[in-house]
Amino acid sequence: MPRGEKSAYTDKQERKADHIAEGYEERGVSDKEAERRAWATVNKDDGGGKKSGSGRGKHTGHPAAHKGGRKGGAASASRSKADRSAAAKKGWETRRKKAG
């Protein structure tokens, strides 16, 4: 199968990639880069195309979907209470100004 060919992917995998790409595009990532990242995420979750071969239909656990939040939590835990409080106050102040 040539690189870039998507015939081995199921309809569900294609919908998943489209949804992920839309999310990246909304955040300002170019169309081509969003598409690349989306298929990389699908491959990471599902291990590639699932249309043929043994193991089709096997649950993957969606590892990429569970990755978020770990890094931020660790970074926040390493900061002092005063630093976290100052950041929270600054964020609140910014949201208040933008809302009014």
Coordinates of all heavy atoms in Angstrom, one line a residue:
M1 N 0.9 -1.2 0.0 CA 0.0 0.0 0.0 C 0.9 1.2 0.0 O 1.7 1.4 0.9 CB -0.9 0.0 1.3 CG -1.8 1.2 1.4 SD -3.1 1.0 2.6 CE -2.1 1.0 4.1
P2 N 0.7 2.2 -1.0 CA 1.5 3.4 -1.0 C 1.3 4.3 0.2 O 0.2 4.2 0.8 CB 1.0 4.1 -2.3 CG 0.2 3.1 -3.0 CD -0.2 2.1 -2.1
R3 N 2.2 5.0 0.5 CA 2.1 6.0 1.7 C 1.0 6.9 1.4 O 0.8 7.4 0.3 CB 3.4 6.8 1.9 CG 4.5 6.0 2.5 CD 5.7 6.9 2.7 NE 6.8 6.1 3.2 CZ 7.1 6.1 4.5 NH1 6.4 6.7 5.4 NH2 8.1 5.4 4.9
G4 N 0.2 7.2 2.4 CA -0.9 8.1 2.3 C -2.2 7.5 1.9 O -3.3 8.2 1.9
E5 N -2.2 6.3 1.4 CA -3.5 5.6 1.0 C -4.3 5.3 2.2 O -3.8 4.7 3.2 CB -3.2 4.4 0.2 CG -4.4 3.8 -0.4 CD -4.1 2.5 -1.2 OE1 -3.0 2.3 -1.7 OE2 -5.0 1.6 -1.2
K6 N -5.6 5.6 2.2 CA -6.4 5.4 3.4 C -7.4 4.2 3.2 O -8.4 4.1 4.0 CB -7.2 6.7 3.7 CG -6.2 7.9 3.9 CD -5.4 7.8 5.1 CE -4.6 9.0 5.4 NZ -3.2 8.8 5.4
S7 N -7.2 3.4 2.2 CA -8.2 2.3 1.9 C -8.3 1.3 3.1 O -9.4 0.6 3.2 CB -7.9 1.6 0.6 OG -6.7 1.0 0.7
A8 N -7.3 1.1 3.9 CA -7.3 0.1 4.9 C -8.0 0.6 6.2 O -8.2 -0.2 7.1 CB -5.9 -0.3 5.2
Y9 N -8.4 1.9 6.2 CA -9.1 2.4 7.4 C -10.6 2.2 7.4 O -11.2 2.3 6.3 CB -8.7 3.9 7.6 CG -7.3 4.1 7.9 CD1 -6.3 4.3 6.9 CD2 -6.8 4.2 9.2 CE1 -5.0 4.4 7.2 CE2 -5.5 4.3 9.6 CZ -4.6 4.5 8.6 OH -3.3 4.6 8.9
T10 N -11.2 2.0 8.5 CA -12.6 1.9 8.6 C -13.3 3.3 8.5 O -12.6 4.3 8.7 CB -13.1 1.2 9.9 OG1 -12.7 2.0 11.0 CG2 -12.4 -0.2 10.0
D11 N -14.6 3.3 8.3 CA -15.3 4.5 8.3 C -15.2 5.2 9.6 O -15.1 6.5 9.7 CB -16.8 4.3 7.9 CG -17.0 3.8 6.5 OD1 -16.1 4.0 5.7 OD2 -18.1 3.2 6.2
K12 N -15.3 4.5 10.7 CA -15.2 5.1 12.0 C -13.8 5.8 12.2 O -13.7 6.8 12.8 CB -15.4 4.0 13.1 CG -15.4 4.5 14.5 CD -15.7 3.4 15.5 CE -15.7 4.0 16.9 NZ -16.0 3.0 17.9
Q13 N -12.7 5.1 11.7 CA -11.4 5.7 11.8 C -11.3 7.0 11.0 O -10.7 8.0 11.5 CB -10.3 4.7 11.4 CG -10.1 3.6 12.4 CD -9.1 2.6 11.9 OE1 -9.2 2.1 10.7 NE2 -8.1 2.3 12.7
E14 N -11.9 7.0 9.9 CA -11.9 8.2 9.0 C -12.7 9.3 9.7 O -12.3 10.5 9.7 CB -12.5 7.9 7.6 CG -11.5 7.0 6.8 CD -12.1 6.7 5.4 OE1 -13.0 7.4 4.9 OE2 -11.6 5.7 4.9
R15 N -13.9 9.0 10.3 CA -14.7 10.0 11.0 C -13.9 10.6 12.2 O -13.9 11.8 12.4 CB -16.0 9.4 11.5 CG -17.0 9.2 10.5 CD -18.4 8.9 11.0 NE -18.4 7.9 12.1 CZ -18.6 6.6 11.9 NH1 -18.7 6.2 10.6 NH2 -18.6 5.7 12.8
K16 N -13.2 9.7 12.9 CA -12.4 10.1 14.0 C -11.3 11.1 13.6 O -11.0 12.1 14.2 CB -11.7 8.9 14.6 CG -11.0 9.1 15.9 CD -10.5 7.7 16.4 CE -9.8 7.8 17.7 NZ -9.4 6.4 18.2
A17 N -10.6 10.8 12.5 CA -9.5 11.6 11.9 C -10.1 13.0 11.5 O -9.4 14.0 11.8 CB -8.8 10.9 10.8
D18 N -11.2 13.0 10.9 CA -11.9 14.2 10.5 C -12.2 15.1 11.7 O -11.9 16.3 11.7 CB -13.1 14.0 9.7 CG -12.9 13.4 8.3 OD1 -11.7 13.5 7.8 OD2 -13.8 12.8 7.7
H19 N -12.7 14.5 12.7 CA -13.1 15.2 13.9 C -11.8 15.8 14.6 O -11.8 17.0 15.0 CB -13.8 14.3 14.9 CG -14.2 14.9 16.1 ND1 -15.3 15.9 16.2 CD2 -13.8 14.9 17.4 CE1 -15.4 16.3 17.4 NE2 -14.5 15.7 18.2
I20 N -10.8 15.0 14.7 CA -9.5 15.5 15.3 C -8.9 16.7 14.4 O -8.5 17.7 15.0 CB -8.5 14.4 15.4 CG1 -9.0 13.3 16.4 CG2 -7.1 14.9 15.8 CD1 -8.3 12.0 16.4
A21 N -8.9 16.5 13.1 CA -8.4 17.5 12.2 C -9.2 18.9 12.4 O -8.6 19.9 12.4 CB -8.4 17.1 10.8
E22 N -10.5 18.8 12.5 CA -11.3 20.0 12.7 C -10.9 20.7 14.0 O -10.8 21.9 14.0 CB -12.8 19.6 12.8 CG -13.4 19.3 11.5 CD -14.9 18.7 11.6 OE1 -15.5 19.0 12.7 OE2 -15.4 18.1 10.7
G23 N -10.7 20.0 15.0 CA -10.2 20.6 16.3 C -8.9 21.3 16.1 O -8.8 22.4 16.6
Y24 N -8.0 20.7 15.4 CA -6.7 21.4 15.2 C -6.9 22.7 14.3 O -6.3 23.7 14.6 CB -5.7 20.5 14.5 CG -5.0 19.5 15.4 CD1 -5.1 18.2 15.3 CD2 -4.2 20.0 16.5 CE1 -4.4 17.3 16.1 CE2 -3.6 19.2 17.3 CZ -3.7 17.8 17.2 OH -3.0 17.0 18.0
E25 N -7.7 22.6 13.3 CA -8.0 23.7 12.4 C -8.6 24.9 13.1 O -8.3 26.0 12.9 CB -8.8 23.3 11.2 CG -8.0 22.4 10.2 CD -8.9 21.7 9.2 OE1 -10.1 22.1 9.1 OE2 -8.4 20.8 8.5
E26 N -9.5 24.6 14.1 CA -10.1 25.6 14.9 C -9.1 26.3 15.7 O -9.3 27.5 16.1 CB -11.2 25.0 15.8 CG -12.5 24.6 15.0 CD -13.5 23.9 15.9 OE1 -13.3 23.8 17.1 OE2 -14.4 23.3 15.3
R27 N -8.0 25.6 16.1 CA -7.0 26.3 16.9 C -5.9 26.9 16.0 O -4.9 27.3 16.6 CB -6.4 25.2 17.8 CG -7.3 24.9 19.0 CD -6.7 23.8 19.8 NE -7.0 22.5 19.3 CZ -6.5 21.4 19.8 NH1 -5.6 21.4 20.7 NH2 -6.9 20.2 19.3
G28 N -6.1 27.0 14.7 CA -5.2 27.8 13.9 C -4.1 27.0 13.2 O -3.2 27.5 12.6
V29 N -4.2 25.6 13.3 CA -3.2 24.8 12.6 C -3.6 24.7 11.1 O -4.8 24.6 10.8 CB -3.1 23.4 13.2 CG1 -2.2 22.5 12.5 CG2 -2.8 23.5 14.7
S30 N -2.6 24.7 10.2 CA -2.9 24.6 8.8 C -3.6 23.3 8.5 O -3.5 22.3 9.2 CB -1.6 24.7 7.9 OG -0.9 23.5 8.1
D31 N -4.4 23.3 7.3 CA -5.1 22.1 6.9 C -4.3 20.9 6.8 O -4.6 19.8 7.3 CB -5.9 22.4 5.6 CG -7.0 23.4 5.7 OD1 -7.3 23.8 6.9 OD2 -7.5 23.8 4.7
K32 N -3.1 21.1 6.1 CA -2.2 19.9 5.9 C -1.6 19.4 7.2 O -1.6 18.1 7.4 CB -1.1 20.4 4.9 CG -0.3 19.3 4.3 CD 0.7 19.8 3.3 CE 1.4 18.7 2.6 NZ 2.4 19.2 1.6
E33 N -1.2 20.2 8.0 CA -0.6 19.8 9.3 C -1.7 19.2 10.2 O -1.5 18.2 10.9 CB 0.0 21.0 10.0 CG 0.6 20.7 11.4 CD 1.7 19.7 11.4 OE1 2.3 19.4 10.3 OE2 2.1 19.3 12.5
A34 N -2.9 19.8 10.2 CA -4.0 19.2 11.0 C -4.3 17.8 10.5 O -4.6 16.9 11.4 CB -5.2 20.1 10.9
E35 N -4.4 17.6 9.2 CA -4.6 16.2 8.7 C -3.5 15.3 9.1 O -3.8 14.1 9.5 CB -4.7 16.4 7.1 CG -5.3 15.1 6.4 CD -6.8 15.1 6.5 OE1 -7.4 16.0 6.9 OE2 -7.3 14.0 6.1
R36 N -2.3 15.7 9.0 CA -1.2 14.8 9.4 C -1.2 14.4 10.9 O -1.1 13.3 11.2 CB 0.2 15.6 9.1 CG 1.4 14.7 9.3 CD 2.7 15.5 9.4 NE 2.7 16.3 10.6 CZ 3.0 15.8 11.8 NH1 3.2 14.6 12.0 NH2 3.0 16.6 12.9
R37 N -1.5 15.4 11.7 CA -1.6 15.1 13.1 C -2.8 14.2 13.5 O -2.7 13.3 14.3 CB -1.8 16.4 13.9 CG -0.5 17.3 14.0 CD -0.8 18.5 14.8 NE 0.3 19.5 14.8 CZ 0.3 20.6 15.5 NH1 -0.7 20.8 16.3 NH2 1.3 21.4 15.4
A38 N -3.9 14.4 12.7 CA -5.1 13.6 13.0 C -4.8 12.2 12.7 O -5.2 11.3 13.5 CB -6.3 14.2 12.1
W39 N -4.2 11.9 11.5 CA -4.0 10.5 11.2 C -2.9 9.9 12.1 O -3.0 8.7 12.4 CB -3.6 10.4 9.7 CG -4.8 10.4 8.8 CD1 -5.1 11.5 8.0 CD2 -5.8 9.5 8.7 NE1 -6.3 11.2 7.4 CE2 -6.8 10.0 7.8 CE3 -6.1 8.3 9.3 CZ2 -7.9 9.3 7.5 CZ3 -7.2 7.6 9.0 CH2 -8.2 8.1 8.1
A40 N -2.0 10.7 12.5 CA -1.0 10.2 13.5 C -1.6 9.8 14.8 O -1.3 8.7 15.4 CB 0.1 11.2 13.8
T41 N -2.6 10.5 15.2 CA -3.4 10.2 16.4 C -4.2 8.9 16.2 O -4.2 8.1 17.1 CB -4.3 11.4 16.8 OG1 -3.5 12.5 17.0 CG2 -5.0 11.1 18.1
V42 N -4.9 8.8 15.1 CA -5.6 7.6 14.8 C -4.7 6.4 14.8 O -5.0 5.3 15.4 CB -6.4 7.7 13.5 CG1 -7.0 6.4 13.0 CG2 -7.5 8.7 13.6
N43 N -3.6 6.5 14.2 CA -2.6 5.4 14.1 C -2.1 5.0 15.5 O -1.9 3.9 15.9 CB -1.4 5.7 13.3 CG -1.8 5.6 11.8 OD1 -2.7 4.9 11.4 ND2 -1.0 6.4 11.0
K44 N -1.9 6.0 16.4 CA -1.4 5.8 17.7 C -2.5 5.1 18.5 O -2.2 4.1 19.3 CB -1.1 7.1 18.4 CG -0.5 6.9 19.8 CD 0.0 8.3 20.4 CE 0.7 8.0 21.7 NZ 1.2 9.3 22.2
D45 N -3.8 5.5 18.4 CA -4.9 4.9 19.1 C -5.1 3.4 18.6 O -5.3 2.5 19.4 CB -6.2 5.7 18.9 CG -6.3 6.8 19.8 OD1 -5.4 7.0 20.7 OD2 -7.3 7.6 19.7
D46 N -5.2 3.2 17.3 CA -5.7 2.0 16.7 C -4.6 1.1 16.1 O -4.9 0.0 15.7 CB -6.7 2.3 15.6 CG -8.0 3.0 16.2 OD1 -8.1 3.1 17.4 OD2 -8.7 3.6 15.4
G47 N -3.4 1.6 16.0 CA -2.4 0.8 15.4 C -2.5 0.7 13.9 O -2.1 -0.4 13.3
G48 N -3.1 1.6 13.2 CA -3.2 1.6 11.7 C -4.6 1.2 11.3 O -5.5 1.1 12.1
G49 N -4.7 0.9 10.0 CA -5.9 0.5 9.4 C -6.5 -0.8 9.9 O -5.7 -1.7 10.2
K50 N -7.8 -0.9 10.0 CA -8.4 -2.1 10.7 C -9.3 -2.9 9.7 O -10.0 -3.8 10.2 CB -9.3 -1.6 11.9 CG -8.5 -1.0 13.0 CD -7.8 -2.1 13.8 CE -7.1 -1.5 15.0 NZ -6.2 -2.5 15.6
K51 N -9.3 -2.6 8.4 CA -10.3 -3.3 7.5 C -10.0 -4.7 7.3 O -10.9 -5.5 7.1 CB -10.3 -2.6 6.2 CG -11.4 -1.4 6.2 CD -11.7 -1.0 4.8 CE -12.8 0.1 4.9 NZ -13.0 0.7 3.6
S52 N -8.8 -5.2 7.4 CA -8.5 -6.6 7.2 C -7.5 -7.1 8.2 O -6.8 -6.4 8.9 CB -8.0 -6.8 5.7 OG -6.7 -6.2 5.6
G53 N -7.5 -8.5 8.3 CA -6.5 -9.1 9.2 C -7.1 -9.4 10.5 O -8.2 -9.0 10.9
S54 N -6.4 -10.2 11.3 CA -6.9 -10.6 12.6 C -6.9 -9.5 13.6 O -6.0 -8.6 13.5 CB -6.1 -11.8 13.1 OG -4.8 -11.4 13.4
G55 N -7.7 -9.5 14.6 CA -7.7 -8.5 15.6 C -8.6 -7.4 15.3 O -8.7 -6.4 16.0
R56 N -9.3 -7.4 14.1 CA -10.2 -6.3 13.8 C -11.4 -6.2 14.8 O -11.9 -7.3 15.2 CB -10.8 -6.5 12.4 CG -11.7 -5.3 12.0 CD -12.1 -5.4 10.6 NE -13.1 -4.4 10.3 CZ -14.0 -4.4 9.4 NH1 -14.1 -5.4 8.6 NH2 -14.8 -3.4 9.3
G57 N -11.7 -5.1 15.3 CA -12.7 -4.9 16.2 C -12.3 -5.0 17.7 O -13.0 -4.8 18.6
K58 N -11.0 -5.2 17.9 CA -10.4 -5.2 19.2 C -10.3 -3.8 19.8 O -9.9 -2.9 19.1 CB -9.0 -5.8 19.1 CG -8.3 -6.1 20.4 CD -6.9 -6.7 20.1 CE -6.1 -6.8 21.4 NZ -4.8 -7.2 21.1
H59 N -10.8 -3.7 21.0 CA -10.8 -2.4 21.7 C -9.3 -1.9 22.0 O -8.5 -2.7 22.4 CB -11.5 -2.5 23.0 CG -11.6 -1.2 23.8 ND1 -12.4 -0.1 23.3 CD2 -11.1 -0.8 24.9 CE1 -12.3 0.9 24.1 NE2 -11.5 0.5 25.1
T60 N -9.1 -0.7 21.7 CA -7.7 -0.2 21.8 C -7.4 0.6 23.1 O -6.3 0.8 23.5 CB -7.4 0.8 20.7 OG1 -8.3 1.9 20.7 CG2 -7.5 0.1 19.3
G61 N -8.5 1.1 23.8 CA -8.3 1.8 25.0 C -8.1 3.3 24.8 O -8.0 4.1 25.7
H62 N -7.9 3.7 23.5 CA -7.7 5.1 23.1 C -6.6 5.8 24.0 O -6.8 6.7 24.7 CB -9.0 5.9 23.3 CG -10.1 5.3 22.6 ND1 -10.2 5.2 21.2 CD2 -11.3 4.7 23.0 CE1 -11.3 4.6 20.8 NE2 -12.0 4.3 21.9
P63 N -5.3 5.4 23.8 CA -4.3 5.9 24.7 C -4.0 7.4 24.5 O -3.7 8.1 25.4 CB -3.0 5.1 24.2 CG -3.4 4.6 22.9 CD -4.8 4.4 22.9
A64 N -4.2 7.9 23.2 CA -3.9 9.4 23.0 C -5.0 10.2 23.7 O -4.7 11.3 24.2 CB -4.0 9.6 21.5
A65 N -6.2 9.7 23.9 CA -7.2 10.5 24.5 C -7.0 10.6 26.0 O -7.5 11.5 26.7 CB -8.6 9.8 24.3
H66 N -6.2 9.7 26.6 CA -6.0 9.7 28.0 C -4.7 10.4 28.4 O -4.4 10.5 29.6 CB -5.9 8.2 28.5 CG -7.2 7.5 28.4 ND1 -8.2 7.7 29.3 CD2 -7.6 6.5 27.6 CE1 -9.2 6.9 28.9 NE2 -8.9 6.2 27.9
K67 N -4.0 10.9 27.4 CA -2.7 11.5 27.7 C -2.8 12.9 28.3 O -2.0 13.3 29.1 CB -1.9 11.6 26.4 CG -0.4 11.9 26.6 CD 0.3 11.8 25.3 CE 1.8 12.0 25.5 NZ 2.5 12.0 24.2
G68 N -3.8 13.7 27.9 CA -4.0 15.0 28.3 C -4.1 15.2 29.8 O -4.6 14.4 30.5
G69 N -3.5 16.3 30.3 CA -3.6 16.7 31.7 C -2.5 16.2 32.5 O -2.2 16.8 33.6
R70 N -1.7 15.2 32.1 CA -0.6 14.7 32.9 C 0.5 15.7 33.1 O 0.9 16.0 34.2 CB 0.0 13.4 32.3 CG -0.9 12.2 32.5 CD -0.1 11.0 32.1 NE -1.0 10.0 31.5 CZ -0.6 9.1 30.7 NH1 0.7 9.0 30.3 NH2 -1.4 8.2 30.2
K71 N 0.9 16.3 32.0 CA 2.0 17.2 32.0 C 1.6 18.5 32.8 O 2.4 18.9 33.6 CB 2.3 17.6 30.6 CG 3.7 17.9 30.3 CD 4.0 18.1 28.8 CE 5.4 18.1 28.5 NZ 5.7 18.2 27.1
G72 N 0.4 19.0 32.6 CA 0.0 20.2 33.3 C -0.1 20.0 34.8 O 0.2 20.8 35.6
G73 N -0.6 18.8 35.2 CA -0.7 18.5 36.6 C 0.6 18.4 37.3 O 0.8 18.9 38.4
A74 N 1.6 17.8 36.6 CA 3.0 17.7 37.2 C 3.6 19.1 37.3 O 4.3 19.4 38.3 CB 3.8 16.8 36.3
A75 N 3.4 19.9 36.3 CA 4.0 21.3 36.3 C 3.4 22.1 37.4 O 4.1 22.8 38.2 CB 3.8 21.9 35.0
S76 N 2.1 22.0 37.6 CA 1.4 22.7 38.6 C 1.8 22.3 40.0 O 2.0 23.1 40.9 CB -0.1 22.6 38.5 OG -0.8 23.3 39.5
A77 N 2.0 21.0 40.2 CA 2.3 20.5 41.5 C 3.7 20.9 42.0 O 4.0 21.0 43.2 CB 2.3 18.9 41.5
S78 N 4.6 21.2 41.0 CA 6.0 21.6 41.4 C 6.1 23.1 41.8 O 7.1 23.5 42.3 CB 6.9 21.3 40.2 OG 6.6 22.1 39.1
R79 N 5.0 23.9 41.5 CA 5.0 25.3 41.9 C 4.5 25.5 43.3 O 3.7 24.7 43.8 CB 4.1 26.0 40.9 CG 4.7 26.0 39.4 CD 3.6 26.4 38.4 NE 3.3 27.8 38.6 CZ 2.2 28.4 38.0 NH1 1.5 27.6 37.2 NH2 2.0 29.6 38.2
S80 N 4.9 26.6 43.8 CA 4.5 26.9 45.2 C 3.0 27.4 45.2 O 2.5 27.7 44.2 CB 5.3 28.1 45.8 OG 5.0 29.3 45.1
K81 N 2.4 27.3 46.4 CA 1.0 27.7 46.5 C 0.8 29.2 46.1 O -0.2 29.6 45.5 CB 0.5 27.5 47.9 CG -1.0 27.8 48.1 CD -1.5 27.5 49.5 CE -3.0 27.9 49.6 NZ -3.5 27.8 50.9
A82 N 1.8 30.0 46.5 CA 1.7 31.5 46.2 C 1.7 31.7 44.6 O 1.0 32.5 44.1 CB 2.8 32.2 46.8
D83 N 2.6 30.9 43.9 CA 2.7 31.0 42.5 C 1.4 30.6 41.8 O 0.9 31.3 40.9 CB 3.8 30.1 41.9 CG 5.2 30.8 42.1 OD1 5.2 32.0 42.4 OD2 6.2 30.0 41.9
R84 N 0.8 29.5 42.3 CA -0.5 29.0 41.7 C -1.6 30.0 42.0 O -2.4 30.3 41.1 CB -0.8 27.7 42.3 CG 0.0 26.5 41.8 CD -0.5 25.2 42.1 NE -1.0 25.0 43.5 CZ -0.3 24.6 44.5 NH1 1.0 24.3 44.3 NH2 -0.8 24.4 45.7
S85 N -1.6 30.6 43.2 CA -2.6 31.6 43.5 C -2.5 32.8 42.7 O -3.5 33.4 42.2 CB -2.5 31.9 45.0 OG -3.5 32.9 45.4
A86 N -1.3 33.3 42.5 CA -1.0 34.5 41.7 C -1.5 34.3 40.2 O -2.1 35.1 39.6 CB 0.5 34.9 41.7
A87 N -1.2 33.1 39.7 CA -1.6 32.7 38.3 C -3.1 32.7 38.2 O -3.7 33.2 37.2 CB -1.0 31.4 37.9
A88 N -3.8 32.1 39.2 CA -5.2 32.1 39.2 C -5.9 33.5 39.2 O -6.8 33.8 38.5 CB -5.7 31.2 40.4
K89 N -5.3 34.3 40.1 CA -5.8 35.7 40.2 C -5.6 36.5 38.9 O -6.5 37.2 38.4 CB -5.1 36.5 41.3 CG -5.6 36.0 42.7 CD -4.8 36.7 43.8 CE -5.2 36.1 45.1 NZ -4.3 36.6 46.2
K90 N -4.4 36.3 38.2 CA -4.1 36.9 37.0 C -5.1 36.5 35.9 O -5.6 37.3 35.1 CB -2.7 36.6 36.6 CG -2.3 37.3 35.3 CD -0.8 37.0 34.9 CE -0.5 37.6 33.6 NZ 0.9 37.2 33.2
G91 N -5.4 35.2 35.8 CA -6.3 34.6 34.9 C -7.7 35.2 35.1 O -8.4 35.5 34.1
W92 N -8.1 35.2 36.3 CA -9.5 35.7 36.7 C -9.6 37.2 36.2 O -10.6 37.6 35.6 CB -9.7 35.6 38.2 CG -11.1 36.2 38.5 CD1 -12.3 35.5 38.5 CD2 -11.3 37.5 39.0 NE1 -13.3 36.3 38.9 CE2 -12.7 37.6 39.2 CE3 -10.6 38.6 39.3 CZ2 -13.4 38.7 39.7 CZ3 -11.2 39.7 39.7 CH2 -12.6 39.8 39.9
E93 N -8.6 38.0 36.5 CA -8.6 39.4 36.1 C -8.7 39.6 34.6 O -9.4 40.4 34.1 CB -7.2 40.0 36.7 CG -7.3 41.5 36.8 CD -8.4 42.0 37.7 OE1 -8.6 41.5 38.8 OE2 -9.0 43.0 37.3
T94 N -7.9 38.7 33.9 CA -8.0 38.8 32.4 C -9.4 38.5 31.9 O -9.9 39.1 31.0 CB -6.9 37.8 31.8 OG1 -5.6 38.2 32.3 CG2 -6.9 37.9 30.3
R95 N -10.0 37.4 32.4 CA -11.3 37.0 32.0 C -12.3 38.1 32.3 O -13.2 38.4 31.6 CB -11.7 35.7 32.6 CG -11.0 34.5 32.0 CD -11.5 33.1 32.5 NE -11.4 33.0 34.0 CZ -10.3 32.5 34.5 NH1 -9.2 32.2 33.8 NH2 -10.2 32.3 35.9
R96 N -12.2 38.7 33.5 CA -13.1 39.8 33.9 C -13.0 40.9 32.9 O -14.0 41.5 32.5 CB -12.8 40.2 35.3 CG -13.8 41.2 35.9 CD -13.5 41.6 37.3 NE -12.2 42.3 37.4 CZ -12.1 43.6 37.1 NH1 -13.1 44.3 36.7 NH2 -10.9 44.2 37.3
K97 N -11.8 41.3 32.6 CA -11.6 42.5 31.7 C -12.2 42.2 30.3 O -12.8 43.1 29.7 CB -10.1 42.8 31.5 CG -9.6 43.5 32.7 CD -8.1 43.8 32.6 CE -7.5 44.4 33.8 NZ -6.0 44.6 33.7
K98 N -11.9 41.0 29.8 CA -12.4 40.6 28.4 C -13.9 40.5 28.4 O -14.5 40.8 27.3 CB -11.7 39.3 28.0 CG -10.3 39.5 27.6 CD -9.7 38.3 27.0 CE -8.3 38.6 26.5 NZ -7.7 37.5 25.8
A99 N -14.5 40.1 29.5 CA -16.0 39.9 29.5 C -16.7 41.3 29.5 O -17.8 41.4 29.0 CB -16.4 39.1 30.7
G100 N -16.1 42.3 30.1 CA -16.8 43.6 30.3 C -16.5 44.6 29.3 O -16.2 44.7 28.3

